[in-house]
Amino acid sequence: MLKSYASQPFETRGRLFDEKLSTFRSPFQRDRDRIIHSSAFRRLKHKTQVFVEHEGDYYRTRLTHSIEVAQVARTIAGALGLNEGLAEAIALAHDLGHSPFGHTGEDALEELMAPYGGFDHNAQALRIVTKLEKHYADFDGLNLTWESLEGIAKHNGPITGPYADPKRHPEGAPLSYALKEVNDQFDLELHTFASAEAQVAAIADDVAYNHHDLHDGLRAGLFAAEDLMELPLTDRAYADVDALYPALERSRRDHEALRRVFGYMVEDVIAIATNRLDSAKPETAQDIREMDRTIIRFSKPFFQNLKVIKSFLFKEMYRAPSVVEERKRVTVMVNALFPLFMSKPALLPAEWVHEGAAATSDTELARIVLDYVAGMTDRFAIQEYERLCGTPREV
């Protein structure tokens, strides 16, 4: 049974385009299904988390990451009496706006788009679900509910107002054009926190990537189990496994230890959120939005331990020499493709050429080129670079 402060399906603020209610799905379940069936969601299969897509079949992609985030979000939402369908929909959509080549590609596009209104992957996800998906007869986009759009925009916190994170959105800075376009149509109350379900999706993202980056880093040989046994949380996990299974083979030992770390994270979030909700006594979903801080978070001691793990991953994985070299290589590709399409929009695919030809300014053209390049998979971006720039790929 949903708590009173959960997002109630029958209280949804609706969609940009009115539709008849489904006879067998809630509005949020319908959102979830539309996200799963979208082209942008399928493309996540060949978009990178850390390693470039071609490097190995076992490393996480944006698709597997999104599925893992949705699983964690369902678990936490269910334990807290929140709306699992909404938490799942936001979790599945949270990475739709990511470019090829992970954060490396985003960094390159942010710099390239600086003169044209900027690039932000959350805002780009909104652009995808409100405009770029073009499959339905009655509207562009997926026509998601207000609650799902709000969650995509604000799952990391308010974007404006006194509680906005200045690192994400400096005070007085203009909204990204992609976010402004949606917000002008459907006020997302950017000065408030998001629903509890959106906050669950955000912390589920943290849980999933902390877990799988440790797993992928071990598999890639960037660090060893002995290194993890010197870190908080992972040290306890390995000690527990060794006590129970003293002769376990290496791969099973690693898996058993890291799934315990996964469990520690989820248990901490549920325990702390339960205590905070009991203390705050919100009565409605709007009460959650109007608080002065997030209600779904790690405990302070646990968060400090995670900071140590994140620092370790930054040094040993994200800045590993092999990863840094790959970052340089793919940055060259993005920095070549974007200006090439800007100078020669006729090189865009047929379905994009007419949009490029209709652009009335460099800014308008840049945003069209961005939609195309940001939507590329790693594999396709590499192929396009080779085809148009004539440079063979090094592997």
Side-chain angles (χ1 to χ4, degrees):
M1 183 175 177
L2 294 181
K3 299 289 188 180
S4 64
Y5 46 76
S7 296
Q8 310 292 335
F10 57 85
E11 293 179 350
T12 176
R13 301 192 197 184
R15 306 174 186 274
L16 277 169
F17 301 92
D18 289 337
E19 296 184 60
K20 291 181 180 179
L21 292 176
S22 171
T23 57
F24 53 89
R25 292 175 297 173
S26 77
F28 305 140
Q29 290 171 329
R30 200 176 197 180
D31 286 356
R32 173 203 61 199
D33 295 348
R34 286 183 177 181
I35 291 161
I36 289 172
H37 288 281
S38 68
S39 298
F41 187 73
R42 290 194 298 274
R43 285 197 298 270
L44 297 180
K45 177 182 179 182
H46 296 296
K47 289 196 177 189
T48 303
Q49 279 293 115
V50 175
F51 301 96
V52 172
E53 182 270 333
H54 68 82
E55 290 186 341
D57 291 337
Y58 292 102
Y59 300 130
R60 266 70 171 191
T61 66
R62 291 285 179 196
L63 179 63
T64 58
H65 168 70
S66 296
I67 293 170
E68 290 175 22
V69 174
Q71 177 263 309
V72 178
R74 284 196 310 271
T75 298
I76 296 174
L80 297 176
L82 301 174
N83 193 299
E84 293 182 43
L86 178 59
E88 184 178 19
I90 296 167
L92 290 169
H94 84 283
D95 268 0
L96 290 180
H98 277 289
S99 67
F101 309 131
H103 293 294
T104 304
E106 289 167 43
D107 291 344
L109 286 176
E110 283 178 17
E111 186 172 341
L112 290 163
M113 282 296 296
Y116 309 113
F119 172 73
D120 172 78
H121 74 266
N122 286 329
Q124 189 67 17
L126 284 174
R127 188 167 168 84
I128 288 168
V129 301
T130 58
K131 182 176 180 180
L132 298 182
E133 288 284 325
K134 297 182 178 180
H135 303 297
Y136 295 88
D138 294 325
F139 47 78
D140 287 341
L142 305 180
N143 200 31
L144 303 181
T145 61
W146 183 92
E147 290 78 7
S148 288
L149 295 178
E150 179 215 26
I152 295 170
K154 300 186 328 194
H155 60 274
N156 289 323
I159 297 169
T160 63
Y163 305 122
D165 184 347
K167 293 180 181 178
R168 291 197 179 99
H169 193 82
E171 185 176 357
L175 295 177
S176 71
Y177 71 93
L179 175 58
K180 186 177 185 302
E181 284 179 354
V182 176
N183 195 60
D184 286 348
Q185 288 181 289
F186 213 3
D187 182 7
L188 299 177
E189 298 180 357
L190 299 179
H191 63 288
T192 67
F193 286 91
S195 65
E197 288 83 2
Q199 294 181 36
V200 163
I203 208 158
D205 187 23
D206 286 349
V207 170
Y209 76 69
N210 278 313
H211 169 257
H212 64 53
D213 282 1
L214 289 169
H215 200 277
D216 285 352
L218 279 174
R219 183 180 289 277
L222 298 177
F223 44 81
E226 289 71 24
D227 299 314
L228 301 187
M229 293 173 72
E230 297 178 2
L231 298 175
L233 302 180
T234 50
D235 59 350
R236 171 160 60 105
Y238 273 97
D240 289 348
V241 172
D242 289 343
L244 287 170
Y245 309 101
L248 199 61
E249 64 183 85
R250 181 185 62 80
S251 62
R252 291 178 187 265
R253 178 176 180 250
D254 291 340
H255 185 273
E256 283 294 324
L258 293 183
R259 80 183 187 94
R260 279 165 170 73
V261 174
F262 188 95
Y264 300 159
M265 288 188 281
V266 173
E267 289 165 4
D268 184 80
V269 170
I270 292 171
I272 296 303
T274 298
N275 289 339
R276 287 187 171 139
L277 288 164
D278 288 346
S279 176
K281 294 181 171 52
E283 294 183 1
T284 67
Q286 193 62 21
D287 289 344
I288 299 283
R289 293 186 176 94
E290 293 176 359
M291 289 181 176
D292 60 0
R293 66 194 67 188
T294 55
I295 198 78
I296 312 295
R297 56 170 64 186
F298 294 110
S299 64
K300 289 182 179 179
F302 201 95
F303 183 71
Q304 292 304 314
N305 287 334
L306 285 179
K307 285 178 68 175
V308 175
I309 291 176
K310 289 179 180 179
S311 178
F312 170 83
L313 285 170
F314 183 85
K315 177 183 177 183
E316 302 297 333
M317 186 174 186
Y318 312 140
R319 290 297 180 264
S322 59
V323 175
V324 170
E325 282 304 307
E326 189 68 6
R327 283 173 60 92
K328 292 177 181 177
R329 191 173 74 87
V330 299
T331 298
V332 167
M333 295 183 190
V334 177
N335 284 337
L337 287 173
F338 187 92
L340 179 61
F341 291 124
M342 284 291 292
S343 62
K344 298 179 180 179
L347 292 175
L348 291 166
E351 62 269 28
W352 290 83
V353 166
H354 72 282
E355 292 192 33
T360 58
S361 66
D362 285 347
T363 294
E364 193 173 333
L365 176 60
R367 293 173 181 179
I368 293 166
V369 171
L370 171 70
D371 290 339
Y372 178 59
V373 174
M376 291 180 174
T377 63
D378 292 11
R379 179 182 297 180
F380 184 68
I382 291 169
Q383 291 172 348
E384 284 293 270
Y385 178 74
E386 291 178 353
R387 182 178 71 87
L388 295 172
C389 301
T391 305
R393 179 177 59 155
E394 295 177 5
V395 293

